[in-house]
């Protein structure tokens, strides 16, 4: 999937695309610029998004974060419909008792946590877009890309989705990344997978149909996949916010990013704890998917035991400085595009259109071009 982004980037002028997109689609379905700009604003100087009273860079960073939060909300909504608490705060689904019970094997509060994580993402999305609009800046709307199918399992709404939770390749290296004390991805270090077989192939994290509800170990493998995917998603947000904060200019924008980012870390640590309870098993319907005993070699022991859920102090900024308990990675260069590639590589957007990748690439490039105080 990485090639999709690279191909898009090299073959099409991104500005030209957005402009063509504006011409081809009705104004009501264009991804960027709905609330604050008229179509005539794009006519002469190209379709550069409006920043209003914000700096161009701050607005671009917030727009990328708004897009990321819209995507997060979409995926968490799918989890909540099948595995979360069903109430008016997060409406839409009717719950799937078999999947919910399998998730509860990881923790009896899983349904509550899924519900609350979903609600949090929705508020992030709505707040960032509202702040952009209140400053006269263009906002982000991805509604035209809500085209992917819903799960057909009992409990899910039948609506178009932005994200695909049924063909995931889940990078579980955060499990070891936060447990080793002498490595940091910002120094180029790489990390072993907790569940190597989840990081290859394609795996459902929600039941695709009611056929996925049996036998027990199969729906448990799906719930285990979700349990690790929760951590994978939220560690990404935990790194993305501090990475982008370093290039923000305005104190209010910095305050927003510094106040939302740590909630992603709260989510991540919760999920990091729960993933450690995923029972060891082999999926009876996919013998290539094996969840190991995380307290046995090559994991487990003093370094990797499952109750080590706080960040092990590690190298930071310079190897000559003392070890520090930190979020990692937090390098700012290319952080938005890195996040987009990470989400794409996990299969979250399988089935999306070239126009979707083009718009997300455009938003990421603009965020990565932001410079503190100068743009
Ligand atoms: Fe969020
Ligand atoms: Fe999040």
């Amino acid at each position: 999937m990485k090639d999709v982004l690279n191909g898009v980037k090299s073959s099409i002028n991104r500005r030209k695309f957005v402009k063509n997109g504006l011409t081809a689609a009705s104004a009501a379905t264009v991804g960027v610029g709905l609330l604050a700009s008229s179509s005539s604003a794009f006519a002469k100087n190209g379709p550069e998004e409006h920043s209003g009273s914000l700096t161009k860079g701050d607005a671009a960073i917030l727009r990328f974060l708004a897009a990321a939060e819209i995507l997060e909300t979409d995926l968490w909504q799918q989890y909540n419909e099948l595995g979360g608490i069903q109430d008016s705060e997060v409406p839409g689904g009717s719950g799937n008792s078999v999947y919910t019970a399998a998730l509860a094997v990881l923790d009896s509060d899983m349904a509550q946590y899924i519900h609350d994580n979903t609600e949090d993402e929705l508020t992030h999305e709505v707040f960032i877009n509202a702040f952009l609009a209140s400053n006269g800046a263009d906002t982000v709307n991805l509604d035209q890309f809500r085209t992917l199918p819903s799960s057909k399992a009992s409990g899910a709404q039948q609506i178009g989705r932005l994200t695909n939770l049924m063909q995931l390749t889940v990078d579980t290296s955060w499990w070891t990344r936060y447990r080793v004390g002498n490595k940091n991805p910002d120094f180029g270090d790489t990390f072993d997978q907790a569940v190597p077989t989840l990081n290859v192939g394609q795996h459902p994290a929600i039941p695709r149909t009611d056929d996925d509800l049996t036998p027990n170990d199969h729906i448990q493998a799906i719930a285990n996949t979700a349990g690790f995917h929760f951590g994978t998603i939220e560690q990404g947000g935990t790194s993305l916010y501090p990475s982008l904060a370093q290039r923000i200019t305005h104190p209010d924008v910095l305050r927003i990013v510094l106040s939302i980012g740590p909630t992603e870390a709260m989510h991540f640590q919760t999920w990091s704890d729960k993933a450690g309870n995923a029972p060891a098993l082999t999926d009876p319907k996919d013998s290539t998917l094996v969840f190991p005993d995380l307290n046995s070699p090559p994991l487990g022991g003093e370094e990797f035991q499952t109750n080590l859920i706080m960040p092990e102090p590690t190298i930071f900024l310079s190897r000559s400085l003392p070890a520090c308990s930190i979020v990692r990675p937090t390098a700012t260069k290319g952080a938005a595009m890195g996040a987009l590639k990470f989400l794409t590589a996990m299969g979250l957007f399988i089935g999306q259109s070239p126009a979707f990748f083009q718009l997300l690439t455009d938003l990421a490039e603009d965020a990565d071009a932001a410079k503190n105080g100068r743009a």
Side-chain angles (χ1 to χ4, degrees):
M1 288 303 290
K2 280 177 183 166
D3 290 337
V4 172
L5 290 177
N6 292 337
V8 161
K9 201 173 163 184
S10 60
S11 65
I12 311 172
N13 177 298
R14 62 198 174 94
R15 292 297 178 200
K16 186 161 169 258
F17 168 79
V18 174
K19 196 168 188 176
N20 289 345
L22 282 167
T23 308
S26 75
T29 60
V30 167
V32 174
L34 279 183
L35 296 185
S37 63
S38 66
S39 56
S40 63
F42 296 90
K44 286 214 169 100
N45 299 320
E48 189 71 39
E49 296 85 11
H50 290 178
S51 306
S53 58
L54 304 175
T55 67
K56 186 176 148 193
D58 282 1
I61 285 172
L62 287 179
R63 268 193 292 272
F64 181 74
L65 289 172
E69 295 291 352
I70 290 169
L71 296 167
E72 270 201 291
T73 302
D74 183 85
L75 76 88
W76 276 109
Q77 175 73 34
Q78 295 181 65
Y79 281 127
N80 192 68
E81 288 176 16
L82 290 163
I85 300 279
Q86 306 302 316
D87 66 13
S88 60
E89 282 180 336
V90 187
S94 53
N96 184 293
S97 59
V98 177
Y99 180 57
T100 303
L103 287 163
V105 169
L106 278 65
D107 187 291
S108 60
D109 287 326
M110 286 293 271
Q112 187 68 56
Y113 299 152
I114 289 168
H115 169 281
D116 291 355
N117 205 137
T118 308
E119 187 186 15
D120 289 0
E121 308 304 359
L122 180 60
T123 66
H124 292 165
E125 164 195 337
V126 170
F127 182 90
I128 294 172
N129 258 342
F131 179 83
L132 282 162
S134 73
N135 282 275
D138 287 344
T139 58
V140 179
N141 183 325
L142 301 179
D143 285 352
Q144 71 176 115
F145 302 112
R146 295 186 191 277
T147 57
L148 301 184
S150 292
S151 162
K152 299 292 184 290
S154 302
Q157 272 189 106
Q158 293 307 305
I159 56 172
R161 311 286 183 172
L162 292 167
T163 61
N164 182 343
L165 296 179
M166 296 179 272
Q167 292 172 270
L168 291 179
T169 305
V170 184
D171 183 340
T172 59
S173 61
W174 51 267
W175 182 267
T176 58
R177 188 200 319 148
Y178 274 96
R179 283 174 169 78
V180 297
N182 59 355
K183 290 170 142 191
N184 182 328
D186 286 334
F187 286 70
D189 293 324
T190 57
F191 299 85
D192 292 337
Q193 297 287 327
V195 186
T197 56
L198 256 191
N199 192 42
V200 293
Q202 297 182 347
H203 310 283
I206 52 175
R208 295 161 292 194
T209 68
D210 285 345
D211 285 347
D212 273 334
L213 302 178
T214 55
N216 276 350
D217 275 2
H218 178 60
I219 190 63
Q220 191 62 55
I222 292 173
N224 286 4
T225 299
F228 274 94
H229 187 235
F230 298 166
T232 301
I233 285 291
E234 298 302 313
Q235 64 79 32
T238 297
S239 281
L240 180 62
Y241 277 85
S243 298
L244 293 179
Q246 296 164 56
R247 287 185 280 107
I248 284 172
T249 300
H250 194 285
D252 282 350
V253 179
L254 187 60
R255 185 175 179 185
I256 290 168
V257 173
L258 292 183
S259 301
I260 292 177
T263 70
E264 305 288 345
M266 293 179 199
H267 299 158
F268 168 51
Q269 192 177 27
T270 300
W271 300 127
S272 175
D273 189 25
K274 304 318 162 200
N277 299 330
L281 56 81
T282 299
D283 184 346
K285 288 187 177 173
D286 176 7
S287 60
T288 68
L289 180 57
V290 179
F291 289 88
D293 177 351
L294 296 168
N295 282 312
S296 293
L299 299 176
E302 254 182 67
E303 200 171 26
F304 296 119
Q305 64 191 40
T306 52
N307 66 352
L308 295 177
I309 61 164
M310 300 198 191
E312 180 71 11
T314 194
I315 49 172
F316 184 39
L317 292 176
S318 164
R319 288 180 193 278
S320 62
L321 289 166
C324 191
S325 180
I326 47 157
V327 165
R328 62 265 210 181
T330 55
T332 192
K333 186 165 187 274
M337 189 58 76
L340 179 58
K341 286 183 174 171
F342 159 78
L343 294 172
T344 303
M346 74 171 60
L348 197 62
F349 308 135
I350 289 175
Q352 273 293 358
S353 62
F356 171 88
F357 291 104
Q358 188 58 51
L359 177 60
L360 269 291
T361 300
D362 179 70
L363 290 168
E365 286 181 348
D366 286 353
D368 283 338
K371 290 184 172 55
N372 186 336
R374 283 182 282 143

